[in-house]
Amino acid sequence: MSRSPAPAVREIRVTDEKAGPYGITAGPDGALWLTLVGSGRIARLTLDGEFREYPLDSPACRPTVIAPGPDGALWFTRYQDHRIGRITTDGAVDSFPLPTPGSGPFGITAGPDGAVWFTEMNTDRVGRITGEGEVTEFVLPVTGGFPSAITTGPDGALWFTLNQANAIGRITTDGDTAVHPLPTPDAGPVGITGDGTALWFVEIAAGQIGRISVDGGIREFPLPDRTAGPHAIVAASTGDCWFTAWGAGRVGHITADGEITEYDLPSPSSEPHGITLGPDGALWVALEAGGVARVEPERRQPDPAGA
């Protein structure tokens, strides 16, 4: 066995609580990129603390989740005005309307096919957008499923959470879909990530972390605090995932065998949402109360007792 010391955590205030840092990702330029959902802006934070905001054309568009695209730009969802946004690393911004009115795009990820894939929470669709802005939508075999986060799996398909359908979905780049119901009723899956072997996801309503293999086998691991509200999750390596506990002001860690450890953030009411592995090897967390947190786990040390 091994011991896992508490990580070093530092909070950095970047804006006020009304701006609401929500999504966060590492960009190809070695900086962190954030969505400011409350102010309609995208922000860039360097590792040495330089912070810059880029206003979007609609302050009320509610930029939500952000991810690096295959073209070297950052792509993000605009939940309120139903558009997909794109920003280059030097700050040039563009956006593309979606064909289905009121679609409510939320999750977004680079696909294995050179395009960007996203979910439409309000209309039970998954979308694909090319670098030129051409959009294709795929209707899912559910009604009121609330597709939320999305990621590319190790099998070359896209995997996503169905928050209200209580399931994990899979869609190929050709549009073939499958739905895998969760064992726990009303679990409310949200965030999802791939670790190179399987997919890991959080169940915000059930207070659990789940793992699904590419053949659909599911395991669920309850958190010590079932009311913690896990929200987002990221894989640092195979079987090594970190997640945010939005309702409890914590970050947590889960191993391949389901061992869970949670750590309090310095500010209990910071509202941690998005989480990403930074270019410096640390974990970075978007805090909707107006900041970011840098979490640097210490290296695991062998247990000298061999217990």
Side-chain angles (χ1 to χ4, degrees), residues 25-29 33 66-76 85-94 96 110 116 131:
T25 194
D29 56 346
W33 289 79
I66 188 167
D71 58 350
L74 289 303
W75 291 74
F76 55 95
R86 177 183 183 272
I87 184 169
T88 65
T89 54
D90 58 3
V93 179
D94 202 353
F96 307 94
V116 172

Side-chain angles (χ1 to χ4, degrees), residues 14-15 21 34 36 42-46 49-53 292:
V14 295
T15 184
L34 301 96
L36 302 183
I42 301 298
R44 179 180 185 268
L45 175 67
T46 66
E50 180 185 347
F51 184 73
R52 182 175 180 181
E53 298 182 22
V292 297

Side-chain angles (χ1 to χ4, degrees), residues 45-176:
L45 175 67
T46 66
L47 296 181
D48 58 7
E50 180 185 347
F51 184 73
R52 182 175 180 181
E53 298 182 22
Y54 299 92
L56 303 177
D57 55 358
S58 169
C61 69
R62 294 188 70 80
T64 309
V65 180
I66 188 167
D71 58 350
L74 289 303
W75 291 74
F76 55 95
T77 50
R78 295 170 44 148
Y79 176 77
Q80 192 64 38
D81 65 354
H82 319 295
R83 302 174 75 92
I84 300 298
R86 177 183 183 272
I87 184 169
T88 65
T89 54
D90 58 3
V93 179
D94 202 353
S95 70
F96 307 94
L98 298 181
T100 302
S103 56
F106 181 81
I108 195 164
T109 191
D113 57 349
V116 172
W117 290 71
F118 57 92
T119 60
E120 300 180 16
M121 286 202 297
N122 299 342
T123 54
D124 294 317
R125 287 170 163 82
V126 166
R128 176 186 186 272
I129 185 168
T130 67
E132 294 74 36
E134 181 181 350
V135 177
T136 306
E137 295 175 312
F138 302 93
V139 179
L140 301 175
V142 295
T143 300
F146 222 58
S148 301
I150 187 169
T151 193
T152 296
D155 57 348
L158 288 303
W159 291 75
F160 54 94
T161 52
L162 288 160
N163 179 263
Q164 293 300 300
N166 204 54
I168 304 299
R170 177 185 183 271
I171 185 168
T172 68
T173 54
D174 294 327
D176 295 329

Side-chain angles (χ1 to χ4, degrees), residues 254-304:
I254 185 167
T255 64
D257 58 2
E259 180 182 352
I260 294 171
T261 312
E262 295 179 282
Y263 305 97
D264 291 330
L265 293 172
S267 300
S269 301
S270 56
E271 297 186 60
H273 280 276
I275 186 169
T276 192
L277 185 65
D280 56 351
L283 283 302
W284 290 79
V285 182
L287 308 176
E288 196 168 5
V292 297
R294 182 181 184 274
V295 181
E296 186 173 8
E298 295 186 25
R299 292 184 179 181
R300 291 169 174 260
Q301 299 296 328
D303 188 337

